[in-house]
Amino acid sequence: VEAFLHLAEAPSGAGRFQAPGLDVVRSFEWIRIAPPAAAGEANYRVRLEIPGRVTIPGTAASLVFELSQRPEREQVQEAEGKYRYNKVVSALDWGRIAGAPELRNWRPGDRYRPVGYPCDTKLKTLFQHARIPVWERRRWPVIVCGEEIAWAGRFGPAADCAATPDTRTVLKVRQIGSLSEF
């Protein structure tokens, strides 16, 4: 009880403690009380079928992939000289996707340059700015081609992979459902 009160009363920050049968984690202003996490949760990596749909391992969420010819202008909005659909549907240039795309979870040290950013940025920094709790990060979906990130959940396509007005074939990526475990 003392450890919980100490964690709850802190003005900010993060923390964690375990009690019998409980894992208590603070991230930003949230406190999560849950059964203890499985030790050494496995990373995932799934080859994508495009078009298609894939469930994000360990979550209730899935990603839907559709190919279409040329973006519909009324659905596309300009963002720093690149184009995307909105925060729910991302538009990638299928011609810029090299190799077989795969879905994997975020890994410490991952970085890429999202549309609108001047340089590569660590996903951890994006998580902090977006106030993504630490317990949602370990399963965070990332689409890679080889080891290059082409898309990251919520943050959208990499600048080098984003659809533009010149894109001939658009890969639409849409997330359905929540990444939360509960």
Side-chain angles (χ1 to χ4, degrees):
V1 172
E2 292 288 327
F4 181 82
L5 290 174
H6 177 70
L7 195 64
E9 291 172 345
S12 64
R16 175 184 216 144
F17 73 90
Q18 291 188 327
L22 293 176
D23 186 22
V24 181
V25 182
R26 177 177 178 159
S27 184
F28 303 109
E29 63 270 9
W30 299 291
I31 294 179
R32 175 181 166 225
I33 303 170
E41 290 202 38
N43 290 328
Y44 66 82
R45 191 173 195 113
V46 179
R47 189 169 187 168
L48 298 176
E49 297 290 329
I50 297 176
R53 181 180 185 143
V54 64
T55 299
I56 300 168
T59 74
S62 60
L63 295 176
V64 176
F65 305 98
E66 298 173 28
L67 290 173
S68 66
Q69 299 302 311
R70 298 184 144 298
E72 297 90 11
R73 296 275 180 186
E74 64 276 1
Q75 292 181 353
V76 179
Q77 61 190 42
E78 188 169 352
E80 299 291 325
K82 300 289 182 183
Y83 288 74
R84 62 181 168 187
Y85 280 73
N86 53 45
K87 289 188 182 229
V88 176
V89 179
S90 294
L92 285 78
D93 186 330
W94 182 242
R96 293 179 178 191
I97 305 295
E102 295 179 306
L103 174 69
R104 69 166 172 80
N105 61 304
W106 163 77
R107 314 271 166 86
D110 273 352
R111 58 186 321 124
Y112 85 124
R113 184 169 69 104
V115 171
Y117 281 70
C119 60
D120 280 3
T121 303
K122 283 188 172 186
L123 276 171
K124 180 178 179 178
T125 302
L126 296 172
F127 291 150
Q128 290 168 338
H129 290 157
R131 302 183 69 75
I132 306 294
V134 295
W135 52 84
E136 288 186 8
R137 298 177 190 182
R138 71 175 164 247
R139 292 189 177 103
W140 203 263
V142 174
I143 296 174
V144 294
C145 297
E147 291 306 313
E148 296 296 315
I149 295 175
W151 175 91
R154 188 170 177 178
F155 307 115
D160 293 341
C161 296
T164 69
D166 299 325
T167 298
R168 297 219 184 270
T169 304
V170 174
L171 170 59
K172 296 178 189 175
V173 180
R174 182 169 37 105
Q175 181 175 318
I176 300 171
S178 171
L179 293 175
S180 292
E181 300 166 358
F182 303 101

